PDB file of all heavy atoms in Angstrom:
ATOM      1  N   CYS A  93       2.449  10.962  54.316  1.00 94.00           N
ATOM      2  CA  CYS A  93       1.165  10.346  54.638  1.00 94.00           C
ATOM      3  C   CYS A  93       0.896   9.201  53.661  1.00 94.00           C
ATOM      4  O   CYS A  93       1.022   9.384  52.450  1.00 94.00           O
ATOM      5  CB  CYS A  93       0.033  11.365  54.555  1.00 94.00           C
ATOM      6  SG  CYS A  93      -1.595  10.652  54.914  1.00 94.00           S
ATOM      7  N   ILE A  94       0.567   8.082  54.223  1.00 95.00           N
ATOM      8  CA  ILE A  94       0.137   6.946  53.423  1.00 95.00           C
ATOM      9  C   ILE A  94      -1.230   6.555  53.957  1.00 95.00           C
ATOM     10  O   ILE A  94      -1.428   6.437  55.167  1.00 95.00           O
ATOM     11  CB  ILE A  94       1.126   5.775  53.537  1.00 95.00           C
ATOM     12  CG1 ILE A  94       2.467   6.188  52.941  1.00 95.00           C
ATOM     13  CG2 ILE A  94       0.578   4.544  52.836  1.00 95.00           C
ATOM     14  CD1 ILE A  94       3.557   5.177  53.096  1.00 95.00           C
ATOM     15  N   SER A  95      -2.183   6.382  53.055  1.00 94.00           N
ATOM     16  CA  SER A  95      -3.525   6.000  53.495  1.00 94.00           C
ATOM     17  C   SER A  95      -3.987   4.767  52.726  1.00 94.00           C
ATOM     18  O   SER A  95      -3.573   4.538  51.584  1.00 94.00           O
ATOM     19  CB  SER A  95      -4.509   7.152  53.295  1.00 94.00           C
ATOM     20  OG  SER A  95      -4.635   7.461  51.927  1.00 94.00           O
ATOM     21  N   HIS A  96      -4.800   4.007  53.403  1.00 94.00           N
ATOM     22  CA  HIS A  96      -5.401   2.813  52.829  1.00 94.00           C
ATOM     23  C   HIS A  96      -6.890   2.885  53.150  1.00 94.00           C
ATOM     24  O   HIS A  96      -7.263   3.235  54.272  1.00 94.00           O
ATOM     25  CB  HIS A  96      -4.813   1.541  53.450  1.00 94.00           C
ATOM     26  CG  HIS A  96      -3.334   1.441  53.287  1.00 94.00           C
ATOM     27  ND1 HIS A  96      -2.742   0.900  52.177  1.00 94.00           N
ATOM     28  CD2 HIS A  96      -2.309   1.837  54.089  1.00 94.00           C
ATOM     29  CE1 HIS A  96      -1.422   0.947  52.298  1.00 94.00           C
ATOM     30  NE2 HIS A  96      -1.142   1.519  53.459  1.00 94.00           N
ATOM     31  N   SER A  97      -7.717   2.560  52.184  1.00 91.00           N
ATOM     32  CA  SER A  97      -9.145   2.571  52.476  1.00 91.00           C
ATOM     33  C   SER A  97      -9.829   1.392  51.807  1.00 91.00           C
ATOM     34  O   SER A  97      -9.397   0.904  50.757  1.00 91.00           O
ATOM     35  CB  SER A  97      -9.789   3.884  52.019  1.00 91.00           C
ATOM     36  OG  SER A  97      -9.626   4.056  50.637  1.00 91.00           O
ATOM     37  N   VAL A  98     -10.861   0.935  52.472  1.00 91.00           N
ATOM     38  CA  VAL A  98     -11.766  -0.088  51.958  1.00 91.00           C
ATOM     39  C   VAL A  98     -13.163   0.424  52.241  1.00 91.00           C
ATOM     40  O   VAL A  98     -13.334   1.451  52.895  1.00 91.00           O
ATOM     41  CB  VAL A  98     -11.534  -1.466  52.619  1.00 91.00           C
ATOM     42  CG1 VAL A  98     -10.167  -2.014  52.271  1.00 91.00           C
ATOM     43  CG2 VAL A  98     -11.710  -1.399  54.114  1.00 91.00           C
ATOM     44  N   LEU A  99     -14.144  -0.254  51.780  1.00 90.00           N
ATOM     45  CA  LEU A  99     -15.520   0.168  51.958  1.00 90.00           C
ATOM     46  C   LEU A  99     -15.823   0.476  53.425  1.00 90.00           C
ATOM     47  O   LEU A  99     -15.811  -0.402  54.274  1.00 90.00           O
ATOM     48  CB  LEU A  99     -16.468  -0.913  51.452  1.00 90.00           C
ATOM     49  CG  LEU A  99     -17.940  -0.551  51.409  1.00 90.00           C
ATOM     50  CD1 LEU A  99     -18.169   0.620  50.458  1.00 90.00           C
ATOM     51  CD2 LEU A  99     -18.762  -1.744  50.966  1.00 90.00           C
ATOM     52  N   GLY A 100     -16.005   1.750  53.747  1.00 93.00           N
ATOM     53  CA  GLY A 100     -16.405   2.168  55.087  1.00 93.00           C
ATOM     54  C   GLY A 100     -15.303   2.303  56.112  1.00 93.00           C
ATOM     55  O   GLY A 100     -15.575   2.595  57.273  1.00 93.00           O
TER      56      GLY A 100
END
Side-chain angles (χ1 to χ4, degrees):
C93 179
I94 295 175
S95 63
H96 302 274
S97 60
V98 295
L99 187 62

